[in-house]
Amino acid sequence: MKLIVGLGNPGLDYAETRHNFGFRVLDYYAGQLGVQWHQRAKFSALVAEAGSGGGKVILAKPQTFYNLVGQSVRQISHFYQIGLGDILVIHDEMALPLGTIRTRVGGSDAGNNGVKHIIGAVGAEFARVRLGSGLPTGANGDSQPRQDRRGYVLGRLSSEEAKLFDAELDTVSQIISEFISGKFNQTTYRQ
């Protein structure tokens, strides 16, 4: 059994923000699978279930706020007895420019409070899909905004940025399918 978690904030006010990249990816992937979301209060999450060649797959969008997602991941993984090696978390990454996708297993939270909360709740050795939400890389190699980082991640994409994000959806869906089938690779993709 695999658990695929998309990070985001609940509610329409956050639906199109950078912090909701994980939710948007899972909505797209659930649509491809033809599965429906169901509120599961005991998990503090919206959950969709699918069968695959590799067994059951649980898609989850925690309905706690972004910085508190660890409790939801812990509840789901304990209930279904899913080990860290079978968990994939999809989240925005301000340290990477928009259009960059980076995959990895384990590591630090890299300043992402949602990932930090998951690490505190279940440990660090889960797989991650990091979706760049940062600015174009500056002369010093930094892609993070200098001021108001909270406002930046809770900001909406321009129409041009939205097209770039939407162009990533098929690539991320392929990465999820590979993870489910046991073929997860640690690499970087650029649109």
Side-chain angles (χ1 to χ4, degrees):
M1 182 177 298
K2 304 286 187 187
L3 171 60
I4 315 299
V5 180
L7 300 193
N9 283 307
L12 292 176
D13 290 344
Y14 301 102
E16 299 296 321
T17 65
R18 290 172 178 85
H19 243 4
N20 275 39
F21 281 5
F23 278 14
R24 292 171 69 185
V25 165
L26 283 193
D27 284 338
Y28 182 81
Y29 193 71
Q32 286 185 319
L33 296 177
V35 296
Q36 301 294 314
W37 293 105
H38 302 282
Q39 179 66 49
R40 297 290 189 250
K42 68 181 172 183
F43 300 142
S44 304
L46 290 172
V47 173
E49 299 180 15
S52 81
K56 191 175 196 177
V57 177
I58 307 293
L59 306 178
K61 297 190 307 183
Q63 298 298 288
T64 60
F65 280 91
Y66 194 100
N67 295 348
L68 301 174
V69 295
Q71 68 187 33
S72 181
V73 174
R74 181 179 60 240
Q75 291 165 336
I76 297 168
S77 63
H78 283 187
F79 182 84
Y80 288 104
Q81 299 179 352
I82 301 171
L84 281 177
D86 292 321
I87 299 173
L88 175 66
V89 175
I90 303 162
H91 62 90
D92 63 295
E93 182 64 59
M94 194 168 47
L96 298 173
L98 185 67
T100 301
I101 303 166
R102 187 167 291 161
T103 58
R104 70 178 299 172
V105 175
S108 75
D109 59 50
N112 184 302
N113 288 328
V115 174
K116 179 179 182 178
H117 202 258
I118 294 171
I119 291 171
V122 299
E125 295 305 311
F126 54 89
R128 304 158 197 200
V129 176
R130 301 164 58 203
L131 302 172
S133 64
L135 301 169
T137 305
N140 65 354
D142 189 8
S143 67
Q144 297 186 28
R146 299 254 179 251
Q147 314 260 330
D148 190 20
R149 292 175 183 218
R150 182 181 184 278
Y152 183 78
V153 297
L154 295 178
R156 299 188 189 290
L157 299 174
S158 69
S159 60
E160 186 175 306
E161 290 171 326
K163 286 178 188 173
L164 186 57
F165 175 79
D166 289 345
E168 298 176 332
L169 292 172
D170 286 328
T171 301
V172 180
S173 293
Q174 182 62 37
I175 293 168
I176 295 169
S177 295
E178 289 170 359
F179 175 80
I180 292 168
S181 67
K183 299 175 186 171
F184 187 74
N185 295 309
Q186 297 186 78
T187 191
T188 300
Y189 305 84
R190 288 190 177 80
Q191 296 295 327

